[in-house]
């Protein structure tokens, strides 16, 4: 059943709009002469002739589209939809030479897909025209001549012609508001704010004044000027949806355009009476607002203010009855409270400068702005900014909150403030914030004295001293090397602790805003130098997710150039790069200040080759301290290429360059396991792993420091020289080392946390844990256990040779790179290592002829990651004990020199390459620069040491010579 409009009756239309704007649009359409206006959900229905619809298209500022309704029909299923549309006289609406498209909305139980609805509607239209005219028109989805609108709800369908074409909020100007990066507001939202503030009534009195706080890209200013100067919003549009429609009345449309031109010419004469004041401190806002006026074809004077100090003088003498202020906070993101503080502060200054009784209309998300203004709302409507709920709220300047009589004259606003020691008054949202201000002033004074005494320039000032104000505040002072705007600058980093679930979220947010308003004034820091850190539970790999976009590979010339948000700071006589804006962490863990100093002292006391290894290196600050302490060779390992580049810049800024300082990109756990199968050893190791990591770069592996620390430390202990030591740090508050497991593997661990907590972190004694890790020393002269018995049937058994520290010392006296006359890195002869332990045909024990030791070593699949292989004798060793031979319980791969591995040779002219893969070989570089080394390298059997094939020769310069 189809209900088609008869030609003699008034035409039926509906205009669409954003949710919440229905009443505003209904009033606008009524003022344009529409009849039968009814506000519905997301649309407004009205009736009239075709000229009424044309006028709505040309003059409506709030509507998104205007649709001519052709029929209503039942559409319980696809067949009824097709029949209802086929019965319409499409030959009277679409020419065969025209293009058309179908815009479908809504679903029901049978029609669940809008694309299918559009397809069936297209079939009905084409089949009707084929039957009546013998041909089918073309379908064009981008710029059709005619757009058919089909809306399905329950079992009913509404079909019509879209008269607007492009959405009406596209005014036809030469530029888009979103292009300038100022969070451009859509024109229909700007028009809704002005309609809610009754701007159209103010302009009737003459000499109106608009104060636009955060004018942004100028949309509000241009819309207000267009209303004041009686200029049609669609006057500049060149294309409409009705121009290709066969029912278009061109004569009526031309008459409306001529009328609009005449009204615009008369309105331009009143431009001198209009006062436009744009208040926006953001860069580019002034030029954007002026450009928006020019693009709209409006010539009006615009006054731009960039600070709150200029507002009072600019608004002096304005009349309340002719003044409207708008506050647009739609550009704020939910996680930008630092910018929100500055925006709210400016908004309150604007409200205070207005004459009592002047109107204020604000668009914002949440009630924070209303609480800051402390004004009684006179009206409010709910809408959406994208998918986020927002409110357009109106106020009257001077009318305070809470119980004031609505009929009483306006009274001055009673806004809560905090008075600082220097007499400065700071507006706050929570009156109890004066306690935070007093506490911060006290601890800041004490911390400043301590910092001057200890020569510390970056330190923690406040650490949740008051439970209700649970934030940490860190102060960073610019390095003496800083130049330009950074010279003598100071920055604050505020970190918010997660509030308990029983704390009201809005109250916690207001307290945070008060902290951001008070802290810079107490600390004497510019408000623009305050950064907020909001920590969230991250998904796997999110720490490195944007590294490819964050920084491109820099050339040598600009490698030390500071990235956006980066600054230079000093600590312990060294200079480091920190980034306070672009990344979650700044690049310098302040609680590790004393730990880094300890690394430097340990490096000074280290004897021998003075080799330093930094695992989970982050930005390499510990490497800088070790190099400053005299470490001759440093190896810095991290999974992140961005952090490795950062570490290399830190080293270069402090003068530590050259082939003796290596930077390795690799999964640390795998890298440690691979290095156990080489002769690379270090005298001092610093390891500061994350609490948890499931980065995608780790493949299927997941690292949990509590679960995996024992295996990690066992592996690190095998990389230490005879007198080597590892400094292990962890920031898991409840961390407990597995002492028993470590002891079984011959590893000692001692807690030294107490001496590593700086003065400014004393309130949080569990900010980190620090341990000293060493190999368990073997008692002097203690006998070693014999080799495990071989399986029955083995021949040539011999007693294992004792291995003592004295033997190791004697071996260490030999020239490096040799051991008993055979090359140290070479495989040598098996007879030398396993004399008397051969079976028939010179084979080991019970291995069958032709067996492969390397294959047997891989039969241990399923063991804990990095565990040593099981040998053919079936013995099972403790985790991390490594492969053992018949010479006792000494691990095969751990016979290392106390003074480290062989230095670089003249032949290789490059750094000793850790045995891991996909990095370039030294020969590829010709001795120039340091190769970048990363993981997934060759198996240990390809190199000297470990179980090798008989043809393996000695290694040199990190490569295997065969």
């Amino acid at each position: 059943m189809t209900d088609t409009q008869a030609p003699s009756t008034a035409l039926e239309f509906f205009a669409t709009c954003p949710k919440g704007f229905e009443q505003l649009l209904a009033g606008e359409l009524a003022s344009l002469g529409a009849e039968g206006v009814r506000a519905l959900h997301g649309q407004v229905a009205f009736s009239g002739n075709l000229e009424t619809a044309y006028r709505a298209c040309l003059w409506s500022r709030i509507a998104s589209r205007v649709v001519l309704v052709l029929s209503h029909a039942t559409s319980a299923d696809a067949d009824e939809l097709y029949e209802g549309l086929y019965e319409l006289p499409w030959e009277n609406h679409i020419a065969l030479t025209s293009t058309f498209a179908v815009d479908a909305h809504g679903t029901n139980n049978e029609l669940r897909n809008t694309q299918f609805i559009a397809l069936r509607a297209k079939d009905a239209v084409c089949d009707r025209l084929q039957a009546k005219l013998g041909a089918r028109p073309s379908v064009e989805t981008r710029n059709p001549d005619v757009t058919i609108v089909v809306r399905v709800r329950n079992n009913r369908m509404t079909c019509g012609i879209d008269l607007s074409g492009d959405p009406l909020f596209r005014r036809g100007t030469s530029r888009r508001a979103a292009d300038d990066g100022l969070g451009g507001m859509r024109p229909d939202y700007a028009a809704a704010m002005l309609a809610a503030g009754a701007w159209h009534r103010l302009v009737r009195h003459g000499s109106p004044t608009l104060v636009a706080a955060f004018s942004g890209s100028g949309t509000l200013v241009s819309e207000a000027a267009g209303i004041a100067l009686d200029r049609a919003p669609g006057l500049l549009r060149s294309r409409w949806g009705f121009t290709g429609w066969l029912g278009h009345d061109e004569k009526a449309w031309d008459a409306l355009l001529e009328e609009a031109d005449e009204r615009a010419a008369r309105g331009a004469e009143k431009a001198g009476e209009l006062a436009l004041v744009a208040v926006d401190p953001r860069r580019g806002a002034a030029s954007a607002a002026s450009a928006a006026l020019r693009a709209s074809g409006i010539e009006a004077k615009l006054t731009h203010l960039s600070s709150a100090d200029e507002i009072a003088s600019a608004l002096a003498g304005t009349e309340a009855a002719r003044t409207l202020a708008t506050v647009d906070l739609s550009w704020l993101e939910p996680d930008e409270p630092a910018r929100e503080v500055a925006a709210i502060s400016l908004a309150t200054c604007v409200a205070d400068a207005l004459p009592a009784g002047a109107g204020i209309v604000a668009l914002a998300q949440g009630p924070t702005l209303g609480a800051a203004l402390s004004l009684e709302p006179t009206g409010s409507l709910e809408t959406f900014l994208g998918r986020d709920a927002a409110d357009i709220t109106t106020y009257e300047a001077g009318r305070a909150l809470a119980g004031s009589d609505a009929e009483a004259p306006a009274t001055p606003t009673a806004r809560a403030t905090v008075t600082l020691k220097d007499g400065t008054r700071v507006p706050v949202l929570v009156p109890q914030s004066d306690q935070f201000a007093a506490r911060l002033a006290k601890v800041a004074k004490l911390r400043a004295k301590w910092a001057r005494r200890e020569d510390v320039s970056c330190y923690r000032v406040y650490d949740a001293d008051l439970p209700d104000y649970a934030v940490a505040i860190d102060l960073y002072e610019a390095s003496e090397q800083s130049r330009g705007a950074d010279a003598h600058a100071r920055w604050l980093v505020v970190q918010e602790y997660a509030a308990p679930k029983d704390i009201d979220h809005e109250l916690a947010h207001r307290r945070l805003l008060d902290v951001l308003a008070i802290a810079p004034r107490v600390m004497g820091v510019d408000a623009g130098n305050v950064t907020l850190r909001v920590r969230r539970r991250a998904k796997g790999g999110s720490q490195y997710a944007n590294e490819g976009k964050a920084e491109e590979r820099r050339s040598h010339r600009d490698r030390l150039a500071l990235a956006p948000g980066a600054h230079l700071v000093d600590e312990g006589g060294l200079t480091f790069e920190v980034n306070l804006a672009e990344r979650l962490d700044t690049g310098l863990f302040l609680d590790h200040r004393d730990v880094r100093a300890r690394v430097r002292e340990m490096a000074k006391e280290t004897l021998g080759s003075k080799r330093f290894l930094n695992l989970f290196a982050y930005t390499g600050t510990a490497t800088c301290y070790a190099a400053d302490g005299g470490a001759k060779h440093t190896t810095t390992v991290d999974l992140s290429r961005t952090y490795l580049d950062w570490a290399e810049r830190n080293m270069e800024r402090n003068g530590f360059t050259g082939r003796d300082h290596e930077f390795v990109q690799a999964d640390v756990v795998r890298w440690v396991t691979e290095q156990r199968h080489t002769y690379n050893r270090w005298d001092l190791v610093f390891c500061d792993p994350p609490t948890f990591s499931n980065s995608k770069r780790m493949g299927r592996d997941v690292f949990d420091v509590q679960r995996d620390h024992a295996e990690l430390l066992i592996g690190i202990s095998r990389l230490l020289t005879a007198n080597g030591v590892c400094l292990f740090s962890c920031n898991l508050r409840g961390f407990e080392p597995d002492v028993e497991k470590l002891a079984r593997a011959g590893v000692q661990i001692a807690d030294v946390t107490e001496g590593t907590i700086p003065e400014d972190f004393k309130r949080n004694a569990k900010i980190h844990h620090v341990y000293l890790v060493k190999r368990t020393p073997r008692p002097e002269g203690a006998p070693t256990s014999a080799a495990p018995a071989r399986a029955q049937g083995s021949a040539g058994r011999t007693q294992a040779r004792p291995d003592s520290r004295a033997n190791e010392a004697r071996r260490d006296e030999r020239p490096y790179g040799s051991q008993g006359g055979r090359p140290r890195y070479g495989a040598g002869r098996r007879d030398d290592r396993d004399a008397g332990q051969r079976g028939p045909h010179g084979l080991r024990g019970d291995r069958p002829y032709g067996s492969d030791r390397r294959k047997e070593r891989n039969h241990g699949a399923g063991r804990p990651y990095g565990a040593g292989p099981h040998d053919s004798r079936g013995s099972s060793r403790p985790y991390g004990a490594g492969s053992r031979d018949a010479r006792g319980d000494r691990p095969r791969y751990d016979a290392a020199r106390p003074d480290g591995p062989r230095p670089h040779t003249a032949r290789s002219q490059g750094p000793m390459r850790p045995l891991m893969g996909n990095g370039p070989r030294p020969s590829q570089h010709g001795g120039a620069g340091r190769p970048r080394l990363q993981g997934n390298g060759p198996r240990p059997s390809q190199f000297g040491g470990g179980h090798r094939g008989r043809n393996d020769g000695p290694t040199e310069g990190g490569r295997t010579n065969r």
Side-chain angles (χ1 to χ4, degrees):
M1 177 68 182
T2 302
D3 301 327
T4 306
Q5 296 192 80
S8 58
T9 61
L11 298 175
E12 181 183 353
F13 306 92
F14 68 84
T16 63
C17 64
K19 181 181 180 301
F21 293 0
E22 295 88 354
Q23 294 298 333
L24 297 177
L25 177 58
E28 182 185 55
L29 292 175
S31 67
L32 294 175
E35 301 176 354
V37 178
R38 293 180 298 122
L40 305 174
H41 181 75
Q43 63 185 25
V44 175
F46 65 97
S47 59
N49 54 25
L50 196 57
E51 181 182 347
T52 304
Y54 286 166
R55 189 178 297 276
C57 290
L58 183 61
W59 285 95
S60 176
R61 296 181 178 273
I62 302 176
S64 298
R65 296 182 183 275
V66 175
V67 178
L68 167 64
V69 177
L70 298 181
S71 71
H72 301 280
T74 57
S75 59
D77 54 30
D79 292 338
E80 286 191 351
L81 175 70
Y82 178 90
E83 293 173 1
L85 292 173
Y86 184 87
E87 293 178 3
L88 294 177
W90 293 111
E91 61 274 12
N92 298 334
H93 300 285
I94 303 175
L96 291 179
T97 57
S98 300
T99 60
F100 80 100
V102 178
D103 185 15
H105 299 270
T107 59
N108 60 21
N109 293 334
E110 295 295 330
L111 302 172
R112 305 188 188 95
N113 187 284
T114 56
Q115 293 183 353
F116 176 74
I117 295 174
L119 180 63
R120 292 296 290 164
K122 183 266 298 181
D123 291 343
V125 173
C126 290
D127 291 349
R128 169 78 185 204
L129 292 176
Q130 179 73 39
K132 294 295 183 181
L133 303 179
R136 300 161 62 100
S138 299
V139 175
E140 172 60 50
T141 58
R142 290 191 175 182
N143 295 302
D145 296 321
V146 179
T147 299
I148 300 172
V149 178
V150 177
R151 293 192 168 222
V152 175
R153 185 177 182 183
N154 296 330
N155 292 331
R156 297 286 294 176
M157 176 269 296
T158 300
C159 178
I161 300 293
D162 182 1
L163 302 179
S164 55
D166 288 338
L168 295 179
F169 53 75
R170 297 181 182 174
R171 304 294 197 222
T173 56
S174 59
R175 62 190 301 277
R176 293 184 61 187
D179 292 342
D180 44 36
L182 294 171
M185 174 185 283
R186 254 174 45 178
D188 53 344
Y189 277 79
M193 290 182 64
L194 294 170
W199 173 248
H200 60 284
R201 287 200 294 265
L202 295 182
V203 299
R204 297 173 187 169
H205 299 294
S207 302
T209 299
L210 178 79
V211 183
F214 299 101
S215 55
S217 54
T219 306
L220 259 166
V221 173
S222 60
E223 285 294 310
I227 295 174
L229 302 181
D230 200 19
R231 186 177 180 86
L235 198 58
L236 298 180
R237 284 173 60 111
S238 59
R239 189 176 183 280
W240 297 88
F242 50 72
T243 53
W245 173 49
L246 291 180
H248 171 48
D249 188 346
E250 188 172 356
K251 183 177 180 180
W253 175 247
D254 290 341
L256 286 176
L257 288 179
E258 184 177 353
E259 177 192 351
D261 288 335
E262 294 176 357
R263 292 173 61 174
R266 292 195 300 267
E269 300 175 356
K270 303 177 182 179
E273 302 177 4
L274 177 63
L276 300 175
V277 181
V279 186
D280 199 331
R282 292 176 291 174
R283 181 180 301 177
S287 59
S290 300
L293 288 174
R294 291 193 301 269
S296 300
I298 298 174
E299 296 183 2
K301 182 180 179 181
L302 175 65
T303 302
H304 188 272
L305 307 178
S306 58
S307 67
D309 300 334
E310 305 170 317
I311 298 176
S313 58
L315 299 183
T318 57
E319 299 181 20
R322 301 180 181 183
T323 302
L324 176 66
T326 62
V327 180
D328 172 27
L329 299 185
S330 62
W331 53 274
L332 283 174
E333 297 293 335
D335 57 349
E336 295 181 327
R339 301 181 70 184
E340 185 178 0
V341 169
I344 289 177
S345 177
L346 182 64
T348 55
C349 291
V350 170
D352 292 343
L354 292 172
I360 303 173
V361 56
L363 172 60
Q365 301 180 49
T368 305
L369 177 62
L373 294 176
S374 298
L375 296 174
E376 187 70 31
T378 58
S380 179
L381 61 89
E382 297 178 356
T383 186
F384 284 88
L385 293 172
R387 296 184 177 182
D388 300 323
D391 296 283
I392 296 179
T393 310
T394 56
Y395 306 91
E396 182 180 327
R399 184 174 292 277
L401 268 172
S404 59
D405 188 358
E407 302 297 330
T411 58
T413 302
R415 185 174 295 117
T417 59
V418 170
T419 304
L420 305 181
K421 290 186 177 181
D422 60 356
T424 304
R425 297 176 64 86
V426 182
V428 294
L429 301 174
V430 181
Q432 292 76 15
S433 294
D434 59 344
Q435 301 175 19
F436 167 77
R439 178 63 182 177
L440 179 61
K442 179 179 178 180
V443 296
K445 184 177 180 180
L446 296 175
R447 288 284 185 270
K449 290 182 179 179
W450 165 81
R452 287 192 297 269
R453 183 174 65 252
E454 299 293 332
D455 193 22
V456 175
S457 60
C458 303
Y459 55 93
R460 177 152 295 182
V461 180
Y462 175 93
D463 195 358
D465 295 32
L466 301 179
D468 289 342
Y469 294 84
V471 296
I473 302 177
D474 296 334
L475 174 67
Y476 291 80
E477 296 182 357
S479 169
E480 296 179 356
Q481 301 180 16
S482 299
R483 299 291 182 268
D486 281 2
H488 308 292
R490 290 154 57 92
W491 301 275
L492 285 184
V493 176
V494 180
Q495 302 181 49
E496 181 186 17
Y497 292 112
K501 294 182 179 180
D502 57 343
I503 299 297
D504 179 63
H505 174 74
E506 182 60 31
L507 177 59
H509 183 65
R510 294 183 187 181
R511 287 170 176 163
L512 176 62
L513 297 182
D514 286 351
V515 168
L516 296 175
I518 294 171
R521 304 193 184 186
V522 171
M523 300 299 301
V525 176
D526 185 87
N529 289 345
V530 179
T531 303
L532 178 71
R533 290 284 188 270
V534 180
R535 294 185 176 270
R536 295 183 174 87
R537 184 176 296 276
K539 296 182 180 180
S542 62
Q543 181 181 4
Y544 308 127
N546 297 321
E547 285 184 5
K549 301 178 182 179
E551 291 187 15
E552 297 179 355
R553 300 291 294 169
R554 306 183 184 189
S555 64
H556 179 73
R557 176 178 298 180
D558 63 351
R559 184 168 56 189
L560 296 182
L562 292 175
H567 311 280
L568 296 181
V569 298
D570 294 331
E571 183 190 271
L574 301 172
T575 300
F576 299 109
E577 175 186 331
V578 296
N579 196 310
L580 309 180
E582 299 297 324
R583 306 190 71 86
L584 180 62
D585 293 317
T586 65
L588 186 67
F589 293 136
L590 298 184
D591 63 295
H592 272 62
R593 186 187 311 113
D594 291 355
V595 178
R596 290 187 287 269
R598 185 161 187 163
V599 168
R600 176 162 53 190
E601 295 304 315
M602 294 174 68
K604 292 179 181 179
E605 299 170 357
T606 299
L607 303 177
S609 61
K610 284 184 171 291
R611 299 181 60 84
F612 173 76
L613 173 62
N614 190 359
L615 300 175
F616 301 100
Y618 190 41
T619 59
T621 53
T623 308
C624 295
Y625 270 84
D628 192 51
K632 297 178 181 178
H633 308 277
T634 65
T635 303
T636 304
V637 186
D638 198 275
L639 184 62
S640 166
R641 173 70 68 182
T642 297
Y643 286 144
L644 278 180
D645 289 342
W646 198 335
E648 193 167 358
R649 293 197 300 270
N650 280 335
M651 290 284 284
E652 189 169 347
R653 291 185 193 281
N654 292 284
F656 306 122
T657 58
R659 293 178 298 173
D660 291 333
H661 304 291
E662 296 178 311
F663 302 86
V664 182
Q665 181 185 11
D667 176 6
V668 172
V669 177
R670 294 183 180 179
W671 188 86
V672 168
T673 302
E674 292 171 354
Q675 291 304 297
R676 292 178 59 183
H677 301 290
T678 72
Y679 283 99
N680 298 336
R681 298 297 180 263
W682 287 266
D683 304 287
L684 177 60
V685 178
F686 177 68
C687 180
D688 183 23
T691 299
F692 179 83
S693 177
N694 60 347
S695 171
K696 293 181 180 179
R697 297 187 182 182
M698 298 173 61
R700 297 183 178 181
D701 296 332
V702 176
F703 179 81
D704 184 296
V705 70
Q706 183 62 69
R707 182 193 65 195
D708 301 329
H709 73 277
E711 290 102 357
L712 176 63
L713 291 179
I714 292 170
I716 293 174
S717 71
R718 283 8 180 206
L719 302 182
L720 295 173
T721 57
N723 298 317
V725 63
C726 169
L727 197 63
F728 176 75
S729 176
C730 169
N731 64 348
L732 178 63
R733 295 182 62 87
F735 177 76
E736 292 290 342
D738 192 343
V739 178
E740 294 183 1
K741 185 174 182 179
L742 293 172
R744 289 196 302 268
V747 179
Q748 288 183 335
I749 184 168
D751 191 342
V752 294
T753 305
E754 186 175 355
T756 64
I757 305 295
E759 176 66 27
D760 48 333
F761 286 88
K762 291 294 186 183
R763 286 183 54 85
N764 191 359
K766 294 185 178 181
I767 188 69
H768 66 241
H769 303 273
V770 180
Y771 301 88
L772 280 180
V773 180
K774 300 180 181 179
R775 294 288 295 273
T776 302
R778 183 174 298 157
E780 196 67 29
T784 58
S785 59
R790 292 185 179 275
Q792 292 183 359
S794 62
R797 300 173 183 163
T798 61
Q799 190 74 9
R801 291 173 295 178
D803 189 14
S804 64
R805 293 290 180 179
N807 292 336
E808 293 184 4
R810 286 195 296 273
R811 285 196 301 272
D812 295 338
E813 295 173 0
R814 300 166 188 158
Y816 193 81
S818 65
Q819 183 174 359
R822 56 185 172 83
R824 184 182 182 96
Y825 276 75
R829 297 178 57 197
R830 291 185 181 269
D831 295 351
D832 296 338
R833 296 179 297 163
D834 305 305
Q837 298 186 25
R838 301 284 178 177
H841 307 288
L843 298 177
R844 278 182 178 268
D846 58 348
R847 291 203 306 274
Y849 182 82
S851 65
D852 191 342
R853 180 68 173 187
R854 287 172 291 182
K855 293 180 180 178
E856 295 175 22
R857 194 174 64 242
N858 293 330
H859 288 170
R863 297 189 304 277
Y865 180 76
H870 294 267
D871 62 14
S872 61
R873 291 162 293 182
S875 61
S876 179
R877 295 170 301 282
Y879 175 82
S883 175
R884 303 177 184 273
D885 60 12
R887 288 174 289 180
D889 61 351
R890 174 171 57 85
R892 180 186 298 274
Y893 302 124
D894 294 344
R897 294 178 57 88
D899 55 349
R902 180 172 58 183
H904 311 316
T905 63
R907 178 179 177 181
S908 67
Q909 293 296 318
M912 179 185 65
R913 181 174 180 270
L915 306 183
M916 45 190 295
N918 296 341
R921 299 294 190 267
S923 59
Q924 295 175 276
H925 293 268
R930 284 188 305 280
R932 286 286 181 178
L933 310 176
Q934 48 188 359
N936 300 330
R939 294 295 181 266
S941 59
Q942 296 176 264
F943 299 88
H947 301 291
R948 297 180 293 273
R950 295 182 180 180
N951 293 329
D952 286 356
T955 62
E956 184 173 351
R959 299 188 61 184
T960 303
N961 300 323
R962 297 186 182 275

